[in-house]
Amino acid sequence: MKVQVYCSYFLLLCCIGFFSCGTDTQNEQKENVATVDSVSHKDSVKSEPTADPISFDRTDDYTSRIIAGMQDGDTNPYKAVSEYTSWKKFAATMDSSWARVNRQRLGKMRNWSETELENLSATTVFYPFSGPDFIHATTFFPKADKYYLFGLEPIGDLPDLNNKSEKDVSAYCEAMQGALRDIFQRSYFLTKKMSADMPKINGVVPMICTFLVRTNHIVTKIQPLLLMENGQTMNWVGTASDSPKKLPRLVRIDFLDTDMRKPKSVFYYSGDLSDNGVKVKPAIKAFLDALPEGCVGYLKSASYLMHYESFSTIRNAMLGKCKAILQDDTGIAYKYYDSAQWNVQLYGVYTPPIEEFKGRFQKELDHDYKDSSRVKPLPFEIGYHWGTHKDNLQLATKK
């Protein structure tokens, strides 16, 4: 999420609208068909494989890997791009950054989630105010089938680097590296910085796809969608300019775990999910109402938006639909977790909010954190207090 005002309103739902992942040139390349058996990646999530491999077009996966700084053998149509000196430097930097964030944060999160979150059996993850942050959603909930993300950033599309000069490729890689810097270092995005970064990398789709392949997944399809007024989605093959103006646009990115071979999807919705935003887009309210009962919510670095009455619709949707919610203190205000309906486990250390949000101090939460019998340690850093080792999480589960 983000420190300044709302870093991307929520991420939930099913997939983005405009842009059909790929230019005409990319569409011509869509003859790179593979099965899961033909793809080999290390350290993927361990689970029982399905019986039959799944056939899919690898064009989007190839593109995702090249913009993530990953080479994928001589069959990759971006082999020429991977020979550029600037790309090799970018790939080395990405490898180093990814190794560091895995060592310092993600590895610890995975180990923690195996003990603290395993019993949640999360199949659907609802992550408002996420922006393109798939990385933490999949780290905490690796076995989920569907991830719904919401943000303010535009959807965008994957680039076609084969049609770019080495200078342009170098500029794109530099922009991607800059866009990822905060999520790697701080664990969240800065809203104002994201606004400047998005035009340079063409929206959130490249970032989500980068996180997918870097977390050992295979991108199989990117499908633009429209959200209908009844809360259902329909595929969209047009452009942003000719789509129905009143219908929200989304994107669905389908992917596979290499060991599981089980189709999964991440959906991203770009738009305002404040009460006013939902009011002018009634399809969003219909979608929230249609969410499955028993999903798992996740909130991080959410600018305390759901503390305000102007975000009551999304707050009530989460409290009503979720069987569990993992959040830091920037998510749903602690006072909304009725003790008659929720059990709340506290983790880490509660300290007053950072300067930008100093008015959001929660007396009730502070009181309960002072009872050491209610608090478990948090073995990693996450959220606005990065670098201080004074981070917090709360896990609320319905009774």
Side-chain angles (χ1 to χ4, degrees), residues 317-328:
M318 293 197 75
L319 292 173
K321 294 289 186 176
C322 294
K323 66 179 179 180
I325 299 174
L326 177 68
Q327 64 167 49
D328 61 15

Side-chain angles (χ1 to χ4, degrees), residues 17 225-228 244-250 269 281 283-284:
L225 301 171
L226 291 177
L227 183 60
M228 309 303 290
K245 300 301 181 184
K246 293 184 178 181
L247 295 181
R249 295 186 296 269
L250 315 103
Y269 167 73
K281 299 277 189 180
I284 299 301

Side-chain angles (χ1 to χ4, degrees), residues 11-15 147-150 227 250 267-269 287:
L11 63 230
L12 108 304
L13 225 100
C14 26
C15 259
Y147 301 84
Y148 292 100
L149 312 182
F150 272 103
L227 183 60
L250 315 103
F267 300 88
Y268 176 81
Y269 167 73
F287 174 83

Side-chain angles (χ1 to χ4, degrees), residues 18-29:
F18 56 102
F19 298 123
S20 167
C21 176
T23 61
D24 291 339
T25 301
Q26 283 180 305
N27 290 333
E28 290 171 3
Q29 292 173 344

Side-chain angles (χ1 to χ4, degrees), residues 1 27 53 97 146 163 191-192 282 355 366:
M1 256 306 79
N27 290 333
S97 296
K146 293 181 174 63
N163 283 339
T191 304
K192 289 184 178 179
E355 182 65 22
D366 181 59

Side-chain angles (χ1 to χ4, degrees), residues 288-356:
L288 295 175
D289 291 342
L291 278 173
E293 299 287 343
C295 57
V296 172
Y298 178 49
L299 296 162
K300 169 184 63 65
S301 306
S303 299
Y304 299 89
L305 294 176
M306 282 188 279
H307 285 218
Y308 298 94
E309 282 308 307
S310 54
F311 286 86
S312 62
T313 301
I314 185 62
R315 182 179 67 232
N316 292 336
M318 293 197 75
L319 292 173
K321 294 289 186 176
C322 294
K323 66 179 179 180
I325 299 174
L326 177 68
Q327 64 167 49
D328 61 15
D329 65 302
T330 71
I332 295 173
Y334 191 56
K335 65 182 181 181
Y336 290 114
Y337 289 106
D338 184 346
S339 60
Q341 299 178 8
W342 296 87
N343 291 317
V344 182
Q345 174 62 57
L346 308 178
Y347 299 91
V349 179
Y350 180 68
T351 56
I354 59 175
E355 182 65 22
E356 289 90 332

Side-chain angles (χ1 to χ4, degrees), residues 45-347:
V45 177
K46 303 301 179 184
S47 185
E48 292 297 322
T50 55
D52 300 319
I54 299 171
S55 296
F56 63 97
D57 184 326
R58 283 208 64 190
T59 300
D60 293 334
D61 189 62
Y62 282 136
T63 305
S64 300
R65 291 177 190 284
I66 205 72
I67 66 173
M70 302 169 68
Q71 177 58 284
D72 199 27
D74 293 338
T75 60
N76 192 320
Y78 291 103
K79 185 171 177 13
V81 173
S82 69
E83 296 299 323
Y84 293 156
T85 300
S86 58
W87 185 88
K88 290 181 179 179
K89 181 179 179 180
F90 166 70
T93 301
M94 285 290 287
D95 285 344
S96 176
S97 296
W98 193 255
R100 183 172 60 254
V101 76
N102 261 302
R103 181 178 65 255
Q104 296 178 350
R105 190 192 321 146
L106 301 183
K108 296 175 182 179
M109 289 177 173
R110 279 190 288 268
N111 292 337
W112 180 84
S113 68
E114 287 176 1
T115 58
E116 300 299 323
L117 306 179
E118 180 65 23
N119 292 335
L120 296 183
S121 301
T123 57
T124 300
V125 175
F126 178 11
Y127 185 4
F129 308 107
S130 61
D133 181 24
F134 174 77
I135 182 176
H136 291 98
T138 190
T139 298
F140 283 128
F141 307 106
K143 296 181 181 180
D145 300 328
K146 293 181 174 63
Y147 301 84
Y148 292 100
L149 312 182
F150 272 103
L152 292 175
E153 293 78 20
I155 294 165
D157 196 7
L158 289 177
D160 181 11
L161 297 186
N162 270 334
N163 283 339
K164 295 184 180 294
S165 66
E166 181 173 2
K167 180 180 179 181
D168 289 339
V169 170
S170 177
Y172 186 88
C173 291
E174 183 178 349
M176 177 62 78
Q177 190 174 325
L180 294 171
R181 187 170 291 119
D182 288 321
I183 193 75
F184 283 169
Q185 181 179 7
R186 304 166 180 259
S187 80
Y188 58 90
F189 296 107
L190 296 172
T191 304
K192 289 184 178 179
K193 188 173 182 300
M194 286 285 281
S195 297
D197 289 335
M198 287 298 99
K200 300 175 184 177
I201 63 171
N202 197 18
V204 303
V205 166
M207 298 187 78
I208 293 175
C209 288
T210 292
F211 293 146
L212 279 165
V213 296
R214 278 284 174 177
T215 51
N216 302 302
H217 297 101
I218 305 166
V219 177
T220 59
K221 186 177 182 180
I222 300 175
Q223 177 62 59
L225 301 171
L226 291 177
L227 183 60
M228 309 303 290
E229 292 188 356
N230 63 0
Q232 302 301 308
T233 62
M234 65 174 287
N235 291 352
W236 181 250
V237 295
T239 64
S241 60
D242 62 2
S243 65
K245 300 301 181 184
K246 293 184 178 181
L247 295 181
R249 295 186 296 269
L250 315 103
V251 67
R252 185 188 74 239
I253 305 175
D254 297 330
F255 64 97
L256 299 170
D257 279 332
T258 55
D259 284 358
M260 294 176 69
R261 306 184 190 180
K262 182 178 181 181
K264 298 185 173 190
S265 299
V266 55
F267 300 88
Y268 176 81
Y269 167 73
S270 175
D272 179 2
L273 288 184
S274 67
D275 289 354
N276 285 337
V278 172
K279 184 177 181 180
V280 299
K281 299 277 189 180
I284 299 301
K285 180 61 165 60
F287 174 83
L288 295 175
D289 291 342
L291 278 173
E293 299 287 343
C295 57
V296 172
Y298 178 49
L299 296 162
K300 169 184 63 65
S301 306
S303 299
Y304 299 89
L305 294 176
M306 282 188 279
H307 285 218
Y308 298 94
E309 282 308 307
S310 54
F311 286 86
S312 62
T313 301
I314 185 62
R315 182 179 67 232
N316 292 336
M318 293 197 75
L319 292 173
K321 294 289 186 176
C322 294
K323 66 179 179 180
I325 299 174
L326 177 68
Q327 64 167 49
D328 61 15
D329 65 302
T330 71
I332 295 173
Y334 191 56
K335 65 182 181 181
Y336 290 114
Y337 289 106
D338 184 346
S339 60
Q341 299 178 8
W342 296 87
N343 291 317
V344 182
Q345 174 62 57
L346 308 178
Y347 299 91

